[in-house]
Amino acid sequence: MNFEQSETQKLIRQAAKDFAEKHIRPYVMEWDEDQYFPRSLFRLMGEQGFMGILVPEEYGGSGLGYFEYSAVVDEIAQVCGSIGLSTAAHNSLCTGHISYFGNDHQKSKYLPKLSTGEYLGAWGLTEPNTGSDAMRMKTTAKKVDGGWVINGTKNWITHGLSGDIAVVLARTGELLDSRGISAFIVERETPGFKGGKKENKLGMRASETAEMIFEDCFVPDDALLGQEGQGFIQAMKILDGGRISIAALSLGIAKGAYFASVKYSQEREQFGKPISSFQAISFKLADMATQIEASQLLIDQSCYLKNEGLPMTKESAMAKYYASEVSVQVSTEAIQIFGGYGYTKDFPVEKYYRDSKLCTIGEGTSEIQKLVISRQILK
């Protein structure tokens, strides 16, 4: 495996870094405090090619691979985890699902608008009583003449209110049947589809998380993604790739906290010298740097396997599990290095600390990742 960055990858990373510094950093705390979701920002990101990174050029996307994709999420998350999260959810989940499993008509209709940021995507799997236990979902899609009628509620949905289209998983067969779930594309203006409660979260506060409610929501036959009964199988494949993006999100948050800590430790003086000169601080920085490098290598390995079309369920779960836990550990140590100042909103690390925890929960908890990994190694 060769993880050396190509010139294209370097350019994409720098473009994402420059964009985040100009269009995101000045507003980070304002958006966080107000729980403001900056919808217009994602149209600007679409102009940069960041909303359809993995989408083939023939459908209006950037036609890039997972190294470039993870770099974009990483650089954006170094500035704001919320925007990194929304970028990942849009690209990996809704857009990714249509790109991988849609027919030519569906791809031609939706991918160009998703890739430019004209459309924002949502992805509905989780329900109030079924998080990791997705096969017990209660949302149903009943076959009727000319289409399907969807009833049920999804929650913890990124862009649940603002998403212009959603890919929704619904039960079309028997409970607990892995081939009894299907995926549908539902447009926001469809009668019977509405947003519900917006969550008031600890972190990632500028990334919208809300319910999606379906009440006798009719969608035509051509809204079905792939074949009937293939939805759960599709979702598991989408989550394999999605884990890479959450690992990259975790890495970006960890890097942001680490870089802030290095800078602060060299500027802050105690007992007549910078605190970075004390072993207690320098050893913390050494641990943080090592964990970040290890996370990067796990992510790079997953990106390589994904780009090559090779099996990577175990590797992506490892990357997501490790990087997300590192994100929490690094941001925790960052607070410690900053001391009392780190506990205030006048300094950046408290936000990294709050944002990091979501990474160990979203798109499969750390416990679920360990379940996936153990099943793979014990086959």
Side-chain angles (χ1 to χ4, degrees):
M1 297 183 190
N2 180 10
F3 299 153
E4 184 179 355
Q5 288 189 60
S6 67
E7 286 304 312
T8 298
Q9 289 165 14
K10 291 177 183 177
L11 288 171
I12 294 295
R13 181 177 285 278
Q14 188 62 48
K17 181 181 181 66
D18 293 344
F19 181 91
E21 290 294 334
K22 180 178 180 180
H23 296 287
I24 300 173
R25 192 178 293 280
Y27 313 104
V28 166
M29 290 311 296
E30 177 186 338
W31 293 344
D32 182 77
E33 290 284 292
D34 295 341
Q35 298 192 67
Y36 174 72
F37 178 63
R39 174 63 181 91
S40 60
L41 175 73
F42 295 93
R43 295 188 180 91
L44 286 177
M45 292 178 66
E47 294 174 7
Q48 297 295 313
F50 299 153
M51 298 297 277
I53 302 170
L54 302 168
V55 173
E57 291 182 68
E58 64 183 295
Y59 295 112
S62 299
L64 298 170
Y66 269 78
F67 283 111
E68 293 86 357
Y69 175 38
S70 65
V72 169
V73 175
D74 171 359
E75 289 294 338
I76 290 174
Q78 287 182 45
V79 175
C80 181
S82 295
I83 306 305
L85 173 62
S86 280
T87 303
H90 171 91
N91 277 280
S92 288
L93 301 181
C94 178
T95 305
H97 202 140
I98 295 171
S99 184
Y100 281 111
F101 298 107
N103 56 38
D104 287 340
H105 171 71
Q106 291 166 334
K107 291 179 182 179
S108 298
K109 182 176 181 180
Y110 295 113
L111 291 181
K113 292 183 177 181
L114 287 164
S115 296
T116 60
E118 179 182 347
Y119 277 6
L120 189 67
W123 195 71
L125 175 66
T126 305
E127 297 184 3
N129 295 307
T130 59
S132 302
D133 189 11
M135 283 198 293
R136 293 183 190 271
M137 69 172 58
K138 295 181 179 179
T139 297
T140 60
K142 299 293 185 183
K143 189 72 183 78
V144 296
D145 288 342
W148 303 79
V149 174
I150 303 174
N151 280 286
T153 300
K154 300 291 183 178
N155 73 338
W156 309 114
I157 308 303
T158 305
H159 312 145
L161 294 173
S162 298
D164 298 283
I165 66 167
V167 171
V168 181
L169 284 297
R171 188 156 51 81
T172 52
E174 296 300 316
L175 196 68
L176 300 180
D177 181 2
S178 63
R179 296 185 180 274
I181 294 172
S182 302
F184 301 88
I185 302 172
V186 186
E187 298 181 14
R188 175 60 64 178
E189 300 305 318
T190 305
F193 174 28
K194 63 181 181 181
K197 175 190 175 186
K198 179 182 176 181
E199 302 297 340
N200 184 8
K201 299 174 296 183
L202 168 71
M204 303 290 195
R205 290 165 63 82
S207 179
E208 177 188 279
T209 305
E211 291 178 320
M212 295 194 303
I213 300 170
F214 302 89
E215 296 175 340
D216 293 329
C217 177
F218 173 82
V219 294
D221 282 324
D222 62 8
L224 179 67
L225 262 171
Q227 298 179 347
E228 179 184 347
Q230 292 294 305
F232 183 79
I233 298 165
Q234 293 172 5
M236 294 304 102
K237 292 179 179 177
I238 292 299
L239 288 172
D240 268 356
R243 291 184 186 117
I244 296 176
S245 67
I246 301 302
L249 172 68
S250 306
L251 177 65
I253 293 170
K255 284 181 178 178
Y258 167 71
F259 292 142
S261 298
V262 171
K263 184 174 185 291
Y264 181 80
S265 72
Q266 293 172 325
E267 296 172 348
R268 171 70 165 169
E269 291 190 359
Q270 291 286 275
F271 307 103
K273 52 186 176 181
I275 62 172
S276 60
S277 65
F278 296 112
Q279 194 176 83
I281 300 300
S282 63
F283 277 20
K284 286 183 186 296
L285 295 172
D287 284 337
M288 295 158 80
T290 302
Q291 291 170 327
I292 286 171
E293 287 291 329
S295 298
Q296 183 73 72
L297 288 168
L298 283 169
I299 293 167
D300 286 346
Q301 176 182 237
S302 298
C303 289
Y304 173 84
L305 294 172
K306 182 67 174 175
N307 283 347
E308 295 296 314
L310 298 171
M312 39 71 77
T313 297
K314 178 188 72 177
E315 290 78 7
S316 65
M318 284 179 168
K320 195 273 186 188
Y321 164 53
Y322 185 76
S324 64
E325 294 291 340
V326 162
S327 187
V328 174
Q329 292 167 27
V330 167
S331 58
T332 300
E333 290 288 48
I335 295 277
Q336 202 69 17
I337 289 170
F338 274 74
Y341 291 114
Y343 203 64
T344 72
K345 293 183 181 293
D346 294 327
F347 289 79
V349 291
E350 67 85 29
K351 182 177 184 296
Y352 292 121
Y353 180 74
R354 289 186 289 108
D355 287 349
S356 67
K357 189 56 193 170
L358 184 277
C359 298
T360 69
I361 300 170
E363 290 194 38
T365 63
S366 291
E367 290 73 22
I368 289 297
Q369 303 312 315
K370 286 191 274 189
L371 181 64
V372 171
I373 295 163
S374 62
R375 283 176 175 174
Q376 290 293 313
I377 63 179
L378 294 172
K379 274 185 175 178

